[in-house]
């Protein structure tokens, strides 16, 4: 979607197969990295935890870089003589399917963030006490 923001005296077309591979790389490698990050919560603060964080960071970095390079490989540019060719910009001329993709992607990101936040809070929040008092065992406030 970011490449749609490019404009100039060129026409940009995409090879759908290569772009699809880029999307698969992004979801697969980033998913693997995020899976490792979530599992690290159970490893504690040992050297293993630090090593797993490093591996997860490298996997996510590889995913981001690979996805961008493969996505650019799928783009083809054709020069046109008109300097006013503004067919590729993020604005009012963006087709409706692009808005749908953006909305779904943002919704997915927010849902993932909410799930990770809920999971992390459940790990650091101590369980509530289930102690209850019967009607005849109320705690005394008189001190006697």
């Amino acid at each position: 979607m970011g490449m749609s923001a490019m404009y100039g005296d060129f026409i940009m077309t995409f090879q759908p197969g290569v772009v699809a591979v880029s999307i698969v790389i992004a979801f697969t490698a980033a998913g693997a990295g995020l899976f490792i990050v979530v599992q690290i919560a159970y490893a504690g603060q040992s050297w293993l935890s630090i090593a797993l964080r490093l591996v997860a960071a490298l996997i996510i970095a590889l995913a981001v870089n690979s996805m961008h390079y493969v996505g650019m490989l799928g783009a083809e540019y054709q020069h046109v003589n008109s300097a006013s060719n503004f067919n590729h910009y993020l604005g009012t001329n963006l087709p409706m399917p692009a808005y749908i993709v953006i909305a779904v992607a943002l919704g997915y990101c927010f849902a993932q963030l909410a799930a990770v936040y809920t999971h992390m809070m459940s790990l650091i929040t101590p369980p509530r006490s289930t102690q209850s008092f019967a009607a005849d065992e109320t705690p005394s406030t008189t001190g006697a």
Side-chain angles (χ1 to χ4, degrees):
M1 292 311 300
M3 290 173 57
S4 296
M6 296 172 50
Y7 61 90
D9 55 347
F10 57 86
I11 296 174
M12 182 173 30
T13 57
F14 296 99
Q15 298 174 4
V18 178
V19 173
V21 169
S22 171
I23 293 169
V24 168
I25 289 171
F27 278 102
T28 304
L34 290 174
F35 176 78
I36 293 171
V37 168
V38 170
Q39 296 305 314
I40 289 172
Y42 303 108
Q45 293 296 325
S46 66
W47 65 270
L48 177 63
S49 176
I50 294 170
L52 286 174
R53 289 177 195 193
L54 179 63
V55 169
L58 290 173
I59 289 173
I60 293 171
L62 180 67
V64 169
N65 284 308
S66 299
M67 182 267 307
H68 281 94
Y69 279 107
V70 172
M72 284 299 293
L73 182 67
E76 296 176 353
Y77 299 91
Q78 180 182 7
H79 181 268
V80 294
N81 291 330
S82 172
S84 63
N85 179 22
F86 296 112
N87 290 331
H88 301 288
Y89 71 95
L90 188 60
T92 57
N93 290 342
L94 194 63
M96 184 53 88
Y99 287 116
I100 294 170
V101 168
I102 291 170
V104 169
L106 286 175
Y108 180 77
C109 289
F110 285 124
Q112 289 295 319
L113 285 174
V116 169
Y117 176 78
T118 304
H119 177 71
M120 295 306 288
M121 292 307 291
S122 71
L123 293 175
I124 63 173
T125 304
R128 292 186 177 182
S129 173
T130 57
Q131 180 181 6
S132 63
F133 297 101
D136 59 321
E137 297 178 5
T138 56
S140 172
T141 58
T142 60

